Amino acid sequence: MSLHVFTSEAVSEGHPDKVADQISDAILDAALARDPNAHVAAETFVGPDFCANLGELKFDGAETLDYEAIARGVVRDIGYDRPAEGFCWNTFEYLNRLTGQSPDIDQGVSRGSAEAQGAGDQGMMFGYAVRETPELMPAPLVLSHRLMRRFARERKGGNVPWLRPDAKSQVSAVYDGHRVLRIADVVVSHQTEDLPIAAIRATVEEIARDELRDTGLVDAQTRFHVNPTGKFVVGGPAGDSGLTGRKIIVDSYGGAAAHGGGAFSGKDPSKVDRSAAYYARYAAKNLVAAGAAERVQIEVSYAIGMAEPTSLFVEFFGTGRVPEEKATSVLLESGLFDFRPGMLVRELGLLRPEGWCYRDTSNGGHFGRRRFPWERLDKADALRDALGLPAQA
């Protein structure tokens, strides 16, 4: 593969779509706290001083949960606390249109045992891992998320008090094959108070350079683009509407891998759009760690109400040390992995999260962060043995 540039973006917790994702996942967390078997498909829509929840629910205590208080609490935590800006936690209009889950769906999902539990929907999900960062994730996405976390710390810590919650970052990396050589361009668009653009650009670029310095990928030719339009004061839901699930590429692999199209946030783990994507990442990451390939993508598909996957496909993109067919057989037949919805939910502890919650996933990406159980590398050694690979030094 010749030299090429690949770009990924990330968004802040105050981006309108991320506001929606966080509210939806906060509702899911509250539902699971009341009933670990809760079925939740919560959508959130936000706009200028407005928030609405829609979707389907089935759990004990659904009628008494204070959804409005959950939404307002999330928005307050993010930092939308100024009514004059057009979206504020204690002034927005709230609308609740959450309803009960369809019994037609429930009869296929609720099968009594984890072994027999059917998939909550049809569709295909993808898991991906690549050996170009310690997280086994694409470098441009990892670095874009890092920038957003850094700016959130600067804002919330009071170091740069004129930063406001809405922001985007973008990193363009130069590759030689699968190896990252340097960063070509960095874009940061950050909502601010109404200040001179020159001062904003100088401060934001300084912070971005500092955050990326330890990568060794920024050089004299790296270009930084800060608030390219010249002004970003009106932001968040006051400047653009937000909807749960619109940042599926930001949430997954930054465009470096395929995506089945299903959103994650607001869905309980019976929805394989979420849980099977997590499990496919788990398998892909362990395959890379085992040395099976430098780059792994796994596709798994389901039929609604059925427990067994309808297909499983492993792709190594020419980087494999074993045949892809062998890796597929090991995933399906060795007993190391079980892609049935109820079994993968049990294995990853998705109904009773420990040390994390679903709202944690809704800001900063669902993959590449050690706190989540699908990021464990606890099966790499067993996979290595099953595939007949030599022990790694």
Side-chain angles (χ1 to χ4, degrees):
M1 184 185 297
S2 61
L3 290 174
H4 65 282
V5 179
F6 187 78
T7 300
S8 294
E9 71 162 354
V11 298
S12 72
E13 64 181 333
H15 184 282
D17 294 331
K18 280 289 129 195
V19 173
D21 284 340
Q22 289 168 89
I23 293 171
S24 293
D25 269 339
I27 290 172
L28 172 60
D29 286 328
L32 290 174
R34 291 194 171 194
D35 181 357
N37 295 310
H39 288 172
V40 178
E43 303 275 356
T44 304
F45 172 74
V46 291
D49 234 19
F50 178 77
C51 174
N53 282 126
L54 304 92
E56 300 80 46
L57 306 167
K58 181 193 174 189
F59 62 93
D60 291 337
E63 300 81 7
T64 60
L65 194 60
D66 193 339
Y67 303 100
E68 180 175 352
I70 292 171
R72 293 193 187 278
V74 170
V75 174
R76 182 187 60 237
D77 292 346
I78 291 169
Y80 285 115
D81 53 8
R82 303 178 184 178
E85 290 181 339
F87 184 77
C88 181
W89 73 272
N90 60 356
T91 62
F92 65 71
E93 177 188 356
Y94 179 77
L95 184 66
N96 182 1
R97 289 294 182 270
L98 293 162
T99 61
Q101 184 185 43
S102 163
D104 296 345
I105 295 175
D106 181 64
Q107 71 176 356
V109 176
S110 300
R111 293 285 179 86
S113 69
E115 292 82 357
Q117 179 183 318
D121 201 354
Q122 70 175 50
M124 64 283 190
M125 301 84 214
F126 292 87
Y128 181 77
V130 62
R131 196 185 294 279
E132 63 185 60
T133 63
E135 299 88 347
L136 303 185
M137 289 284 289
L141 181 65
V142 168
L143 298 177
S144 294
H145 280 308
R146 270 185 58 176
L147 286 168
M148 289 292 88
R149 286 194 293 270
R150 172 65 181 273
F151 281 102
R153 292 196 301 271
E154 298 290 339
R155 173 175 63 88
K156 290 188 166 182
N159 298 325
V160 188
W162 43 262
L163 290 175
R164 299 302 294 145
D166 194 1
K168 280 186 173 184
S169 62
Q170 184 172 285
V171 174
S172 300
V174 180
Y175 284 76
D176 182 3
H178 299 296
R179 185 167 64 95
V180 181
L181 299 180
R182 54 181 294 269
I183 294 173
D185 289 85
V186 177
V187 182
V188 179
S189 294
H190 210 302
Q191 182 189 13
T192 68
E193 295 177 1
D194 197 358
L195 299 173
I197 187 61
I200 291 170
R201 285 174 172 164
T203 299
V204 170
E205 180 174 335
E206 180 183 359
I207 294 170
R209 284 185 177 275
D210 182 67
E211 181 61 30
L212 298 174
R213 186 168 289 117
D214 68 351
T215 67
L217 299 173
V218 176
D219 58 24
Q221 285 72 49
T222 302
R223 297 173 295 187
F224 285 77
H225 313 271
V226 177
N227 288 16
T229 67
K231 188 174 184 178
F232 186 7
V233 173
V234 178
D240 190 11
S241 60
L243 185 65
T244 301
R246 280 207 302 214
K247 287 293 173 283
I248 58 175
I249 301 304
V250 169
D251 281 346
S252 55
Y253 305 105
H259 195 293
F264 300 150
S265 288
K267 296 177 179 178
D268 76 85
S270 72
K271 281 72 171 173
V272 284
D273 279 338
R274 182 172 213 161
S275 55
Y278 290 173
Y279 201 67
R281 160 67 177 173
Y282 179 43
K285 188 177 182 183
N286 276 270
L287 279 170
V288 170
E294 297 295 294
R295 183 182 177 204
V296 174
Q297 179 173 279
I298 296 173
E299 182 200 44
V300 60
S301 67
Y302 295 87
I304 188 169
M306 302 296 292
E308 295 289 344
T310 53
S311 68
L312 184 77
F313 172 52
V314 178
E315 187 171 5
F316 289 160
F317 303 97
T319 69
R321 296 184 181 89
V322 296
E324 291 156 330
E325 295 83 357
K326 184 174 183 179
T328 301
S329 296
V330 166
L331 291 183
L332 289 173
E333 300 169 8
S334 67
L336 291 173
F337 292 89
D338 191 334
F339 282 83
R340 288 177 292 175
M343 300 304 288
L344 65 88
V345 165
R346 175 192 289 176
E347 182 177 353
L348 296 181
L350 298 182
L351 293 178
R352 299 179 184 271
E354 295 184 6
W356 63 281
C357 64
Y358 283 99
R359 185 178 165 189
D360 292 337
T361 70
S362 60
N363 172 42
H366 293 245
F367 306 117
R369 300 159 68 193
R370 291 182 181 178
R371 73 178 70 178
F372 303 136
W374 49 92
E375 295 296 318
R376 298 189 309 242
L377 292 176
D378 55 339
K379 295 189 178 181
D381 290 341
L383 272 174
R384 192 178 299 119
D385 292 342
L387 293 167
L389 289 163
Q392 293 182 334

